[in-house]
Amino acid sequence: MAPLDFKPNDFSEVPYSVYSDEQIYAQEQKQLFQGDAWHFLAMEIELPNAGDYKTMPVGDTPVIVVRDKNGNINAMVNRCAHRGNLVCIEDHGNLDCLTCVYHNWTYDLQGNLATIAFEKGIQGNGGMAEDFDKSCHSLQRLRVETYCGLAFGTFSDDVPSLTDYFGPEMCGNIQRLLGRDMELLGRFQHGLDGNWKLYMENVRDTYHATLLHSFMTTFRLNRLSMKGAVEVSEGGLHHLTYSIRAQDNDQGQYDAKEIRAQKDDYALKAPELLESWPEFECDTTLAIQSLFPNFSIQQLSNVITLRLIVPKGPNKSELTWWVLGAVEDTPEQRAMRIRQSNLVGPGGYIAMEDGAVVGWVRRGVTGAEDKKSILAMGGRDVERISESRCNELAVRGFWQGWHGLMES
Ligand code: FES
Ligand SMILES: [Fe+2]
């Protein structure tokens, strides 16, 4: 198929058709979302008790994630083995067993078919065919693994274990941020007016931060000159960008009292919005990580978020944010995190433009399926690491990973 036709080892030009082509969308569902990749399902703290469940999509496939009576998290396709009805209709809840409302087939919390209404018929008449074997009609199960309180699922028997899939560098950042008792401070969910990959490109694009986000530059929150790096995992699948608290002469930029607009003609009316504390020994103040295909973990000062961008057809997607704190936070730290979280979410002072630009690019490339975008900042190859964040290395990495799985 022509749109997958990248030059060997060069992912610096991407045909615009990848954001709208129906066939590519269908191939992604098969090769990525039902293929050899792990997909974020839930935080373990969202399902604290036996019987707690949530429903969510993996790509286009509706999935039930549930904690069973042994404490394990299971995930099953939300599709009754009888005639395909959704078994769970609500977003979340607590149940002893899963019951399909259509004809009352019931499943246990591992997805095994337990009972069928009128299985033996009524007064000796009717009932299921004699050769029908309940044990052959469970809900379709996903493989599930958890790491640092995050549960992931896959339809693949071949994809390596979760930590091997992420690799040690990516696990290091997950452990740093989430390897402690966390609490959920809030959640945002909103639609985006474009293809899910436009958002994942944005997550990996370190070069736009000081250009698109005028809040950042106005209040001097981030400079590409700050010490940091971009790391791309083997094969391009995942990435991590980070920067480190500026020292000495740049120290003031994270001191809320010093926050002033560049031209000194106005300042934040509530500078406490940006009050922060040095949470990590490594002094990292910004870390953006993407885990292929559509999941991201982000630290922006003390705002720690998870993001999942779910495709809703070629031209639409849905973004969910989980905003997190640590159980050990003091009340002041918790309040600081909540105030700072105004930077993220659908109307966030920094995040708003990332959502908007997805729709603007979609509109911009409509009718230009035969043309290509350029990703040549920082060269054309896909190295594993760069100390410059003024580049499109990790975006090229995304396309390398995408291409590898789409062709597999
Ligand atoms: S479709 Fe579920 S019981 Fe019939
Ligand atoms: Fe951005």
Side-chain angles (χ1 to χ4, degrees), residues 199 202-203 205 208-210 212-213 216 288 298 307 350-355 357:
Y199 194 78
N202 175 279
V203 168
D205 172 351
H208 81 275
T210 55
L212 177 69
H213 299 300
M216 271 190 163
I288 299 175
Q298 173 176 275
R307 282 179 287 177
I350 291 174
M352 184 168 59
E353 294 96 345
D354 294 323
V357 89

Side-chain angles (χ1 to χ4, degrees), residues 79-87 99-107:
R79 181 193 305 126
C80 182
H82 179 214
R83 300 250 296 274
N85 188 35
L86 290 176
V87 176
T99 304
C100 175
V101 296
Y102 200 170
H103 315 88
N104 262 51
W105 286 29
T106 70
Y107 303 86

